[in-house]
Amino acid sequence: QKNSCVLPEDLKNFYLMTDGFQMTWSVKTDDTPMPLGSMVINSVSKLCRLGGSSMYTLPSAPTLADLEDDTDEEGNGDKPEKPHFDSRSLIFELDPCNGNGKVCLVYKHAEPVVSPDTEIWFLDRALYWHFLTKTFTAYYRLLITHLGLPQWQYAFTSYGVSPQAKQWFNMYKPITINTALLSEEADSFVNKLDPNKVFKSKNKTPVLKKKQPSQPPGSQKSHTSMTSAKTSSVAGNSSRK
């Protein structure tokens, strides 16, 4: 109501389930945990607007709109039109990116009325805009896919991630950082698992136990009589001695 705009449906549903999101994870080096990944979606109270006020307390201090470079290419070819810090756009911060930039929810057409169409853009530390996704749902998938690795948003810029961040990518997201390798050797990452072989039922052949041949009753009786005769003869010999 304050900014006369309506949240996109997917982002509104997200805030109806949870007021923001924050998840961090660490790696252990020399038995000491070191924070590495960070995934953040600001709460509604921290969904602050950018460009609406001065960065400093001085009355004549410049605003972000004053620092904006209008010489950038806008909407040339397949590149979407970049946001503006003045009244032409409404910009809200979704993720502070640990000081490496800002992920923003952008209403690019705010005059004469605010358009409900929104996009997700990344504002780097040099105040250059980089398009990420058209919807919040698509951005949320990117956030989860990149595991919140440091500076992962710079993978969508023309200058890419820093060498230090690239080392973490090579360790935890090698396919994402080596997209050229993926395009050259497409079969290298194809799942060649044959489900017909994996889930094939194994029919075990039952093992037939060999039965002992049964002796006829007559033979059993003769064997018993021979045993008793041998016993009696041994007893007689012992008595004679």
Side-chain angles (χ1 to χ4, degrees):
Q1 294 178 356
K2 179 181 178 180
N3 296 284
S4 302
C5 59
V6 179
L7 288 176
E9 195 67 23
D10 53 357
L11 183 56
K12 183 173 69 174
N13 292 334
F14 174 82
Y15 281 126
L16 288 175
M17 291 187 296
T18 176
D19 188 14
F21 169 74
Q22 182 175 3
M23 178 179 178
T24 58
W25 57 277
S26 306
V27 294
K28 184 177 287 188
T29 56
D30 296 332
D31 295 331
T32 302
M34 182 185 71
L36 181 62
S38 177
M39 293 174 275
V40 176
I41 301 294
N42 281 341
S43 61
V44 176
S45 60
K46 295 182 179 180
L47 204 62
C48 302
R49 182 183 175 185
L50 298 184
S53 60
S54 174
M55 297 181 296
Y56 306 99
T57 57
L58 297 176
S60 59
T63 63
L64 289 175
D66 298 326
L67 300 177
E68 185 175 358
D69 187 4
D70 292 331
T71 60
D72 294 345
E73 298 179 357
E74 298 184 5
N76 292 342
D78 297 333
K79 296 182 180 179
E81 181 184 355
K82 70 168 188 174
H84 299 278
F85 290 115
D86 54 18
S87 59
R88 288 175 288 179
S89 302
L90 287 179
I91 305 168
F92 299 93
E93 179 184 317
L94 283 176
D95 183 1
C97 303
N98 291 327
N100 294 315
K102 295 180 184 296
V103 174
C104 301
L105 174 72
V106 177
Y107 297 80
K108 288 200 302 182
H109 304 288
E111 292 180 345
V113 293
V114 179
S115 173
D117 298 330
T118 59
E119 294 175 346
I120 308 297
W121 286 71
F122 174 61
L123 179 66
D124 64 19
R125 298 183 63 179
L127 301 182
Y128 286 103
W129 288 105
H130 309 276
F131 175 76
L132 293 179
T133 61
K134 285 186 172 295
T135 63
F136 170 76
T137 302
Y139 168 74
Y140 189 75
R141 291 173 179 169
L142 279 182
L143 176 65
I144 301 299
T145 302
H146 288 81
L147 307 176
L149 288 170
Q151 304 176 16
W152 71 266
Q153 296 89 354
Y154 282 87
F156 296 87
T157 65
S158 59
Y159 30 86
V161 299
S162 65
Q164 182 180 4
K166 189 175 293 185
Q167 293 181 0
W168 294 116
F169 269 85
N170 288 328
M171 183 176 296
Y172 293 102
K173 293 291 295 179
I175 299 178
T176 302
I177 201 64
N178 296 317
T179 54
L181 179 63
L182 180 61
S183 61
E184 292 175 3
E185 302 178 5
D187 295 337
S188 301
F189 303 99
V190 174
N191 188 356
K192 299 180 180 181
L193 188 65
D194 189 357
N196 295 327
K197 294 182 180 180
V198 174
F199 300 103
K200 185 178 180 180
S201 59
K202 298 180 180 180
N203 297 326
K204 294 184 178 180
T205 306
V207 179
L208 298 177
K209 295 183 179 180
K210 294 183 180 181
K211 293 183 178 181
Q212 296 292 337
S214 58
Q215 296 180 354
S219 62
Q220 291 181 357
K221 290 182 179 180
S222 61
H223 179 71
T224 304
S225 60
M226 289 175 63
T227 305
S228 59
K230 289 182 179 180
T231 306
S232 59
S233 62
V234 171
N237 293 333
S238 60
S239 61
R240 288 175 184 177
K241 291 179 182 179

